[in-house]
Amino acid sequence: VEWEATGETGHAQSEGALSVDFVASTLPLRWPTVLKQRAAFAPAEEHVVEARSSTKDRPMNMRLSSAATSEFDVEKAPRKQSRLAINPNSNFHLIYSMFSMVVLMVELTIIPYVLAWDVTTSGFLAITAWTTPTFWTVDMAISFLTGFYHHGGELEMDLRNIAKHYLRTWFPIDILVVLGDWVSVTLEALQLGGGGGQGGLKMLRFTKMGRLLRILEMLRMLRLMRLIEDFAERHLSEGYRLAFRISSLAGSIFWGTHILTCIWFAVGVANVSDTGDKWTDHAGFSQGDMYVGYLDAGDLYQYTTAFQWAAAQIALGGVEIYPKNSMERITNILAMMIGFLFGSTVVSTLSAAMVDFQMMQKEKKQ
């Protein structure tokens, strides 16, 4: 802004008097007449017209995001994309992720029960024992083709960069679990095809080791958590996202109780008692004049009894089943500590989700 200097008497000076420019110290003199567009950022007219015409048919949110950069990025070449790359927002990837979650939940539920109750792999279990390693082997190949988002929100669809990203993140866990699956099913197949005698006993020991390797599949719980989080963030609104989180928390409670049930049963039937007594020796029931031992009862009674004990540990409630040796007492103490931490974590997570939902609703109303 240009002001004319005046004397002490307040009268205006002559026409040729010196004018004073009041400019901030951080700006150059003769501001803003000194502003000039840099030649490097001057887009060609046809590029500008093409950019404007290309944004005409876009949705409003895409037009707004591109309008801020159209004058500077019109000449920037797009990222390299491969035809074989899978867009993580595509319908195929959505359906595949939902199917993967179902397979994971079934697998993470069956495996602890099979290991604890030492169930023979036959029928449906034999089918799942071979199909799940095959599915996860194919899943590793699909992971090498699925694009990902950088921290800045930019989608990466170059196969070379996708492969590098997968090798640095989930590949070590996936290859470890898949190898454990294949070793386990191979050893069980060899045991079923082997004969008796000393060779059969040795093969049975290897089969037990192969089954223990299936514990590595519990690492897929991390994969399930990632799939659930990605699915909720990309495809659900705020209200459905809250309902999905509550359902996930309820499912986590039941799954944690199921795992604790299998651990408690495995400890009860294991030969690790230092007192000669086990909780399974006192969990039977009377049927008329006959006493039925716990291990002589059906599988349903065995599972529900152990499940009642596990639920009592998580809810910090009482139950008539008590540990009878040192290993069982250690398991009971750890279960109570885990139950306390698990319960407090569920409550805090649910509270945070409710507060987040209320804040989003308030921002929408404003």
Side-chain angles (χ1 to χ4, degrees), residues 139-148 158-176 223 226:
D139 177 76
M140 292 182 62
I142 293 178
S143 298
F144 276 106
L145 302 175
T146 305
F148 67 95
D158 183 24
L159 289 181
R160 181 177 299 179
N161 295 331
I162 293 174
K164 291 180 180 179
H165 179 264
Y166 179 58
L167 290 173
R168 290 195 306 264
T169 54
W170 289 96
F171 178 79
I173 296 178
D174 290 346
I175 190 65
L176 181 64
R223 182 72 172 271
R226 185 191 67 173

Side-chain angles (χ1 to χ4, degrees), residues 59-200:
M60 181 58 67
N61 57 349
M62 295 181 64
R63 276 189 250 169
L64 291 176
S65 61
S66 62
T69 57
S70 60
E71 295 184 0
F72 301 97
D73 298 333
V74 289
E75 295 184 355
K76 183 179 179 180
R79 280 183 137 331
K80 182 180 178 181
Q81 297 184 2
S82 175
R83 294 182 179 179
L84 297 177
I86 301 174
N87 194 320
N89 296 320
S90 61
N91 293 330
F92 167 78
H93 191 264
L94 172 62
I95 297 174
Y96 179 77
S97 297
M98 295 177 65
F99 183 74
S100 300
M101 285 191 289
V102 173
V103 173
L104 270 174
M105 288 187 288
V106 172
E107 193 174 16
L108 294 177
T109 303
I110 292 177
I111 290 175
Y113 177 81
V114 170
L115 294 177
W117 269 261
D118 197 16
V119 180
T120 303
T121 305
S122 60
F124 174 75
L125 294 179
I127 295 175
T128 58
W130 283 100
T131 54
T132 52
T134 305
F135 174 80
W136 295 118
T137 303
V138 175
D139 177 76
M140 292 182 62
I142 293 178
S143 298
F144 276 106
L145 302 175
T146 305
F148 67 95
Y149 284 93
H150 292 279
H151 294 291
E154 189 176 2
L155 179 62
E156 180 62 67
M157 296 291 286
D158 183 24
L159 289 181
R160 181 177 299 179
N161 295 331
I162 293 174
K164 291 180 180 179
H165 179 264
Y166 179 58
L167 290 173
R168 290 195 306 264
T169 54
W170 289 96
F171 178 79
I173 296 178
D174 290 346
I175 190 65
L176 181 64
V177 176
V178 169
L179 287 178
D181 288 347
W182 283 115
V183 171
S184 176
V185 297
T186 302
L187 291 178
E188 288 191 11
L190 291 176
Q191 193 273 333
L192 292 176
Q198 190 69 19

Side-chain angles (χ1 to χ4, degrees), residues 9-21:
T9 60
H11 298 287
Q13 291 186 355
S14 60
E15 195 172 305
L18 178 65
S19 62
V20 180
D21 293 334

Side-chain angles (χ1 to χ4, degrees), residues 221-235:
M221 187 62 188
L222 302 175
R223 182 72 172 271
L224 179 61
M225 294 172 61
R226 185 191 67 173
L227 288 175
I228 291 176
E229 184 178 355
D230 291 345
F231 176 80
E233 292 295 331
R234 292 180 182 177
H235 306 287

